[in-house]
Structure formats: structure tokens, C-alpha cells
Amino acid sequence: MKKGETQLPILIVGVISIVLLLYLFGILSPIADGVRALFLPVQRANAFVMSALGFHGTGHNVVELEKRAKDLEARVSTLSVDYVKIRSLEEENRHLRETAKFLQNSTYDHVGARVISRSTDLRDSYLVIDRGSNDGLEIGMAVVVDDGVFIGKITQLYSRISRVTLVSDEQSRVAATKAGETKLLGVVEGRGTQLAQMTLIPQNEPLNPNDLIVTAGIEEKIPPNLVIGIINRVDSKPTDPFKIATLEPLSLRDRIDLVIVLRPAVLRPEPGL
Amino acid sequence: MSFQRRSIFIAFFACCIALYEVGMRTFFPIPYAYFFPSMGIICLGLFRRWNEEVLIFAFIVGCLHDLFSFHIGFHFVGFPLLVIFLRFVSLNVMTNRSLYSLIAMVLLGRYCFWIWETFWIWIGSIVMNNHHIYISWSELWRRSLWDILFVSLCFLIPLFIQKIFRLRRKSMDNYGSVF
């Protein structure tokens, strides 16, 4: 073996040992943040290019997605008709106005972010966004897409990037209720597929397919009335204390390129600071 | 080209590959999202006996994987260790430098690295209570198929080019041996 060849492995092992030590003592974090900041523009550009080229991620092909989108659109239309029948026109208008203007009416500030990476495994549904603690984000904050549909919450963050765990992830849990109600109805749990499950619904609560499910707002950083999805099926046995419902999230994870993170207004940085 | 210049080129190349793997790759639909070129490049590099270059490449790719992932992986240790292990295997176990031995090497690398990743995800879930999903068998064999395809193409295309443009001496066999 040549002299140079023996020296390099020793050098690499030395560098790795030093990096490991620095990592264990937490000295490496500012350097890691610096390197991340260096590469973040490249990641953003990559994500932009991929979105522009029509690549949005995994799981479905375009034909299947279009079919699903049409199906959802049809169901939303049916839902709207049902609402007209059930509620008065005035109440419905108020609700729609509230949904459309939830950002202005709520006490929540918002931060826009671009998706720079995403999971390729449906069981582990997450997105990586290009905003982090430097932008005022915190763990547990709600993430919505531009029309106000709740897609998940922040579960891990660095100074410049964060991980958003989606509603359909196996580890996701969100307190939820029916649209138009204020009390907690159940918990929306991910199933590791495109679907989610609403559990712990009391037997005496009426719940039907095509009911709209929204956030309950009992979690500190998640505002109420953010649309999560539509009930697909309700499973109920008279002997069980709770009902279970299958929920179809309204956001297609394969189509998410830009998201909005909601943060309580009290966390908004003061001007001039 | 001097070693320093080569190192800069390799560092740039490693950054491109790593950024593709942690970002762009995830935007492709399945099964294209399972294509991780770094393992194939490492094996091809070792096959060509570019040992030092491969070590640098592995270290940089590992660092970037760690920087953009949210679970403990110690990829910056794992990748160079894998290079050292594969080099040991190629020196002591592999009997020839055929396409089959290259495929065997890349599969060995892929499965060893899967063990490394699974081990650290498991440690992370115990020590730090992080619930990250283990890489499934279905994903693993799909990654392996991409590895086989990638190294086979990288092995065969230069051979065909050399054959077509008659860059290879007639007395050489397909693996570069003179007879």
C-alpha cells in the first residue's frame, strides 16, 4: 500500500472522531446550521424546479390523482347541497366567510414555507419545509395549505428547516370535531395510508359519511375550525363505548408544494427587533 | 490532475449527489424515488480502485444526509465505514472484477447500510423517543434493484463504447485483462 493510501483512512477516521466529539458536546450545531443555510437555497431551487416540472412526490400516478380529485370535488358539492338543506342560508354564508378568511379573523399570524423534501413511505408521512426556529416556528404549530385545509403539525425543527408530520402519518394525533360544533368529538389518528381514522367518538354523537371534520382547537398551538377532511365511513357497534370513523384528508399530500404555518400572534416578532 | 484538485471536484460531485438524494429524489414518483445513486458510485469507485476519492465522497455524502435528516443516522460515520468494509471485502473475498462481483458488492453494501440505518433508528426510538419508521423490505429490494441497474449500466456502457470505437486492444478480454 502506498504512503498516501495509508494516511487518508487515518485522516478520515481522525476527522470523524473529532466531528463525533464535537457533536456529542453540542459544539457542532452552529456549524451544522451554517452548512444547512449554505445549501438551503440549492434545496429551494431544486424543489421549485421539480414542482415546475410537475413532480410532486410519491404514492399515486397522475391519472389516479385526477380521478381522486374529481371524486372529492363531487363529494364537496354534495356536501354543500346537504348544508343548504340542513342549515339556513345565512348560517352557511357566515361559515364559508369564516373559513375563507380564517387567517384574518383568527389571532394567528402565518409564515409561508416551501416543501424541500418529503417522505417516500406512506407509513411515515412527513414534509420538510424551509422554515425553522429562526422564523419563529415551534413544535406543535398547525400547518395548512393555502385554502385553509389543515395538513399536519410541526414535530421537529432545526433553526432553518422543520419537519411537518401529516395527518395521515401513523404517529399523528389531532383533536377534532364536526364542522359547526365547538366541543371535542374525537381524535384523528393517521393510519399510514392516505386515510386517517377518527377514534374515541362517543356512541351518542351523531356522525355520518360526508360530514366535515375540523380541528377542535383544544391544542395550544392549533386554532379551531381548520378543515381536516370528510368522513368516509362510520363503524359503530352498540356494545362498544366509542365509534370509529374513517376520514379522508382533504389535502392531497402529493400536491403540496407551498404551505402556511400558523403561529399564535403573541409569538410574532415585534417590529424593529 | 493533482489530488487537491481532484478532491475539490469530488466534493462538489458528492454535494450534488447528496442534495439529489435528500431533496430532489423525494419529488419523483415511486419507483423512481427509490433510486439512491451514492451506493452504486461508491462501489464503482472501489471497483476502479479510487479508494481515497471514494472515502472523501462517502464522508461528504454522509455529512449532508445527516444535516438534512431528522433522525439520528450517523451517516457521516456509516458511509466511510462501509467504504472501508467494502474495500476489505473486495481485496480479500472477491476473486475477480466481473460485473457479477460488482453487483454482489453493491448488494452487500446496500444491505449492510440498511442494517446500520435500522440500528440507529432503533437506538433513536429507545434513547430519544423518536418514532421513525424502519426502512421496509419492499423499499429495500426496490433500492437494490435500482443499484443493480445503475452499476450494470455504468459497467457495460463504457465497455460497449470501447468496443464500438475500438478503443480497446483486441488482445483484451471484457474485463480489461490481456491474454
Side-chain angles (χ1 to χ4, degrees):
Chain A
M1 197 180 271
K2 284 186 275 181
K3 196 185 171 190
E5 277 186 34
T6 51
Q7 277 175 351
L8 192 81
I10 295 167
L11 188 72
I12 294 269
V13 169
V15 170
I16 287 171
S17 310
I18 292 165
V19 172
L20 257 179
L21 274 175
L22 292 174
Y23 175 81
L24 291 174
F25 287 107
I27 304 165
L28 211 61
S29 299
I31 300 166
D33 284 339
V35 178
R36 248 182 238 120
L38 191 71
F39 285 108
L40 205 53
V42 184
Q43 288 283 72
R44 280 191 193 124
N46 284 344
F48 177 76
V49 169
M50 295 306 282
S51 304
L53 290 173
F55 294 111
H56 301 279
T58 58
H60 292 78
N61 59 38
V62 178
V63 177
E64 201 179 332
L65 279 171
E66 281 172 356
K67 193 181 157 201
R68 192 159 172 256
K70 278 181 187 166
D71 184 41
L72 279 174
E73 277 170 16
R75 291 180 68 178
V76 169
S77 306
T78 315
L79 197 72
S80 305
V81 173
D82 286 343
Y83 262 74
V84 172
K85 285 177 185 169
I86 296 164
R87 295 168 187 270
S88 71
L89 194 61
E90 192 182 324
E91 273 180 337
E92 191 192 46
N93 282 340
R94 184 178 58 80
H95 173 69
L96 288 170
R97 267 204 310 273
E98 277 175 2
T99 310
K101 293 181 179 175
F102 76 98
L103 281 174
Q104 289 91 330
N105 295 340
S106 72
T107 55
Y108 281 74
D109 189 13
H110 60 280
V111 181
R114 178 174 280 284
V115 175
I116 56 167
S117 176
R118 58 187 83 210
S119 64
T120 51
D121 192 333
L122 281 177
R123 297 170 304 153
D124 192 21
S125 287
Y126 70 85
L127 306 170
V128 178
I129 57 171
D130 63 347
R131 303 281 178 183
S133 54
N134 281 3
D135 304 289
L137 305 195
E138 287 183 2
I139 287 174
M141 282 181 176
V143 180
V144 298
V145 284
D146 45 8
D147 49 355
V149 176
F150 177 81
I151 57 162
K153 50 187 171 184
I154 292 175
T155 50
Q156 278 179 289
L157 81 167
Y158 294 129
S159 60
R160 290 172 195 277
I161 57 173
S162 326
R163 177 185 156 118
V164 179
T165 299
L166 301 179
V167 173
S168 55
D169 185 278
E170 277 180 357
Q171 303 296 326
S172 168
R173 303 283 182 274
V174 185
T177 187
K178 231 162 64 170
E181 290 187 12
T182 49
K183 65 176 181 179
L184 175 68
L185 185 67
V187 176
V188 173
E189 299 178 1
R191 290 175 62 188
T193 60
Q194 288 278 335
L195 300 175
Q197 201 169 40
M198 191 163 174
T199 58
L200 302 174
I201 310 161
Q203 281 288 356
N204 57 353
E205 291 290 342
L207 195 67
N208 301 305
N210 286 338
D211 277 350
L212 203 61
I213 297 301
V214 297
T215 53
I218 61 163
E219 288 162 89
E220 191 190 354
K221 293 168 190 166
I222 299 181
N225 296 321
L226 297 177
V227 181
I228 302 175
I230 305 173
I231 295 289
N232 247 348
R233 203 181 69 199
V234 182
D235 295 320
S236 166
K237 287 181 192 167
T239 49
D240 291 346
F242 298 107
K243 286 194 273 196
I244 293 173
T246 308
L247 187 81
E248 189 156 5
L250 275 181
S251 59
L252 291 170
R253 81 173 203 151
D254 305 346
R255 292 281 177 190
I256 302 169
D257 295 321
L258 296 166
V259 297
I260 294 166
V261 184
L262 301 179
R263 54 179 187 187
V266 286
L267 293 173
R268 190 184 305 169
E270 291 294 324
L273 287 179
Chain B
M1 203 190 292
S2 69
F3 182 69
Q4 281 82 0
R5 275 193 182 182
R6 230 166 40 234
S7 301
I8 293 166
F9 173 74
I10 290 158
F12 178 75
F13 180 61
C15 287
C16 293
I17 295 293
L19 288 175
Y20 164 77
E21 287 187 349
V22 298
M24 278 177 95
R25 177 190 62 80
T26 62
F27 285 80
F28 284 112
I30 288 170
Y32 308 105
Y34 291 134
F35 174 47
F36 288 79
S38 57
M39 187 62 69
I41 291 168
I42 285 172
C43 290
L44 282 163
L46 286 174
F47 206 71
R48 298 266 176 197
R49 303 212 170 100
W50 298 333
N51 302 322
E52 300 161 16
E53 290 84 348
V54 169
L55 260 179
I56 294 167
F57 175 85
F59 179 66
I60 292 169
V61 168
C63 284
L64 284 178
H65 267 265
D66 280 330
L67 283 173
F68 284 97
S69 74
F70 281 89
H71 63 85
I72 312 169
F74 291 112
H75 294 99
F76 74 96
V77 185
F79 271 109
L81 275 181
L82 186 77
V83 170
I84 292 165
F85 172 68
L86 287 179
R87 184 157 187 267
F88 173 82
V89 170
S90 69
L91 286 176
N92 297 288
V93 182
M94 300 291 179
T95 51
N96 62 16
R97 295 176 67 230
S98 66
L99 175 62
Y100 305 112
S101 60
L102 180 60
I103 290 173
M105 195 197 279
V106 81
L107 286 179
L108 182 70
R110 175 60 66 203
Y111 282 77
C112 285
F113 200 67
W114 173 72
I115 292 168
W116 173 272
E117 282 189 309
T118 306
F119 173 75
W120 284 110
I121 291 173
W122 178 66
I123 290 287
S125 65
I126 291 172
V127 178
M128 297 176 75
N129 205 24
N130 283 339
H131 295 285
H132 288 282
I133 303 290
Y134 295 102
I135 298 161
S136 62
W137 278 104
S138 65
E139 186 172 337
L140 183 66
W141 72 254
R142 287 179 200 195
R143 286 187 191 187
S144 308
L145 286 181
W146 274 114
D147 286 336
I148 292 171
L149 181 71
F150 179 66
V151 294
S152 301
L153 286 177
C154 290
F155 185 92
L156 292 174
I157 288 172
L159 269 184
F160 279 126
I161 289 171
Q162 285 173 345
K163 281 266 181 190
I164 290 163
F165 293 102
R166 301 190 183 282
L167 298 173
R168 184 172 286 261
R169 277 168 30 211
K170 281 189 176 175
S171 56
M172 262 184 192
D173 68 5
N174 285 341
Y175 302 119
S177 309
V178 180
F179 55 88

